[in-house]
Amino acid sequence: MNILERIKNFLAREDRNVVYGRPLSVEGMILSLSMGESDEAELSLGDFGCISYQTVNVTVYSDDYLQGYDLLLSVRNEIATAAKNTVKIAFKRFNESDYDTSLGKHVLKSQYKIFE
């Protein structure tokens, strides 16, 4: 089972819709999981290459910005709890929020670093 499946199983609830990638249509609030790449590390004097790692991107699609932000914070706390015994993952940052006009939803994003 890969990291996305473990996180999806951990975050899945009856009142929560969790999908992979960008949804084509959104009804209610949706939590989306996808894989990403780390930022390019700055090279220092004497460095020959930079370290890169995979990330997990968690995106919330919501009608109400504040409800979406609350869900994003809740997911952050749940993942912090899961990191102790289920997956090796750590919060990295919140990314810039956006509004998707085609879906008519607020898009709130966060990113997590994978340790494997």
Side-chain angles (χ1 to χ4, degrees):
M1 181 182 304
N2 72 22
I3 190 81
L4 283 181
E5 290 173 344
R6 285 189 278 171
I7 293 172
K8 181 180 179 182
N9 291 338
F10 183 78
L11 295 175
R13 297 197 178 149
E14 290 179 18
D15 61 338
R16 191 181 288 171
N17 192 4
V18 183
V19 298
Y20 298 119
R22 184 182 182 278
L24 298 176
S25 64
V26 178
E27 296 197 16
M29 197 170 353
I30 289 188
L31 186 64
S32 171
L33 303 174
S34 63
M35 296 299 290
E37 293 292 325
S38 65
D39 299 328
E40 288 294 322
E42 292 289 328
L43 294 178
S44 302
L45 184 62
D47 286 347
F48 294 104
C50 47
I51 298 171
S52 63
Y53 50 86
Q54 284 194 318
T55 61
V56 172
N57 301 317
V58 177
T59 307
V60 174
Y61 294 87
S62 175
D63 291 324
D64 184 3
Y65 183 87
L66 291 177
Q67 285 181 344
Y69 185 70
D70 288 342
L71 177 58
L72 207 59
L73 289 177
S74 173
V75 166
R76 179 182 173 189
N77 293 335
E78 291 173 26
I79 288 177
T81 304
K84 295 178 182 173
N85 48 359
T86 308
V87 292
K88 296 176 182 169
I89 188 170
F91 177 76
K92 183 177 176 191
R93 67 176 169 209
F94 289 113
N95 294 351
E96 183 178 352
S97 300
D98 196 9
Y99 186 80
D100 190 331
T101 54
S102 64
L103 295 174
K105 300 284 184 182
H106 293 279
V107 181
L108 299 98
K109 304 172 188 174
S110 61
Q111 193 172 48
Y112 297 83
K113 180 179 178 179
I114 300 171
F115 299 98
E116 284 192 321

